[in-house]
Amino acid sequence: ATRGRTLTARELLDRGRERLGREATLDPEVRSELLLVMAGAYERLSAIDLALALSQQSLAMREESAAAPRDLARSLCAVGRFLCRTGRAQDALPLLERSLALREGEPGESGVEVAESLRQLGLASLALGRRGEAIGRFERALAIEERQGSPARVALLNNNLATVYHGAGELAAARRAYERSIAAYEASTEVEAW
């Protein structure tokens, strides 16, 4: 509280962002990761432009410091996601493709991260009207998530597929994908799924 007034989540986040900007001694990798965490928080508050700016700062820091491929891929994927959310899917594609290439080329990389890059590429493809590409990317991500992912992400990918099929007028395929999505959500115990 400030002078008897309770701070909002946005105000607390803004203060944290300002403080992070002033903190000169913080390790660049720690700063970069904090920027991504804050970008995600701003995204949940629907402040996508701020989320984009913070993720771009994270990416610039990681590119400048020759960060590990896994970390660079996280920042690339985040910037791509936020570019898509601000209507700039064409700008997002090369970043998301780079993220996917880094994740696929990293020994021991979790398939879940590969699936997330594929999902974001699917969303960008869909935004650009490339339904076939979107379906292929969503299906590939879904196959990974079904093997090693969470029921919530399986549900989300089925919902993504259903949306594409519905938009294409393929109602039977859309219904099947929606039903798989609902079943996966119902099977999920993950709080974020609800």
Side-chain angles (χ1 to χ4, degrees):
T2 302
R3 296 183 209 160
R5 185 176 69 81
T6 302
L7 293 173
T8 65
R10 173 65 187 259
E11 289 169 327
L12 287 171
L13 194 55
D14 288 343
R15 286 183 181 195
R17 180 174 46 89
E18 290 166 11
R19 184 172 176 194
L20 182 61
R22 291 190 307 265
E23 183 59 54
T25 61
L26 196 58
D27 176 73
E29 183 49 40
V30 171
R31 180 187 304 274
S32 181
E33 191 60 30
L34 285 172
L35 287 167
L36 280 185
V37 169
M38 293 177 98
Y42 276 111
E43 178 184 28
R44 286 185 289 284
L45 294 173
S46 298
I48 305 304
D49 289 334
L50 264 173
L52 174 59
L54 292 172
S55 64
Q56 287 171 322
Q57 288 176 33
S58 172
L59 176 57
M61 291 177 73
R62 284 181 167 162
E63 286 183 319
E64 185 177 301
S65 70
R70 177 185 197 123
D71 297 329
L72 183 57
R74 277 181 33 81
S75 292
L76 285 162
C77 194
V79 173
R81 181 174 80 240
F82 298 133
L83 283 170
C84 266
R85 299 233 15 229
T86 58
R88 296 165 52 197
Q90 190 64 48
D91 295 335
L93 277 177
L95 299 174
L96 294 169
E97 288 167 348
R98 219 172 122 206
S99 172
L100 177 62
L102 285 169
R103 286 174 165 171
E104 288 179 324
E106 189 71 7
E109 179 64 44
S110 166
V112 173
E113 282 85 14
V114 170
E116 179 56 21
S117 288
L118 285 165
R119 181 175 172 273
Q120 294 304 326
L121 275 164
L123 292 169
S125 298
L126 184 58
L128 294 170
R130 301 175 185 169
R131 282 199 276 276
E133 281 180 26
I135 290 170
R137 288 169 169 165
F138 290 147
E139 286 178 342
R140 192 167 155 221
L142 180 60
I144 292 168
E145 291 289 359
E146 286 176 334
R147 282 192 311 274
Q148 66 186 85
S150 75
R153 289 192 302 269
V154 167
L156 180 60
L157 284 158
N158 273 301
N159 191 67
N160 291 145
L161 280 167
T163 302
V164 177
Y165 291 136
H166 188 261
E170 297 176 37
L171 301 183
R175 181 184 177 121
R176 286 190 301 276
Y178 280 130
E179 287 171 348
R180 287 191 305 268
S181 178
I182 291 166
Y185 273 123
E186 288 175 343
S188 176
T189 58
E190 298 169 68
V191 173
E192 70 270 10
W194 299 102

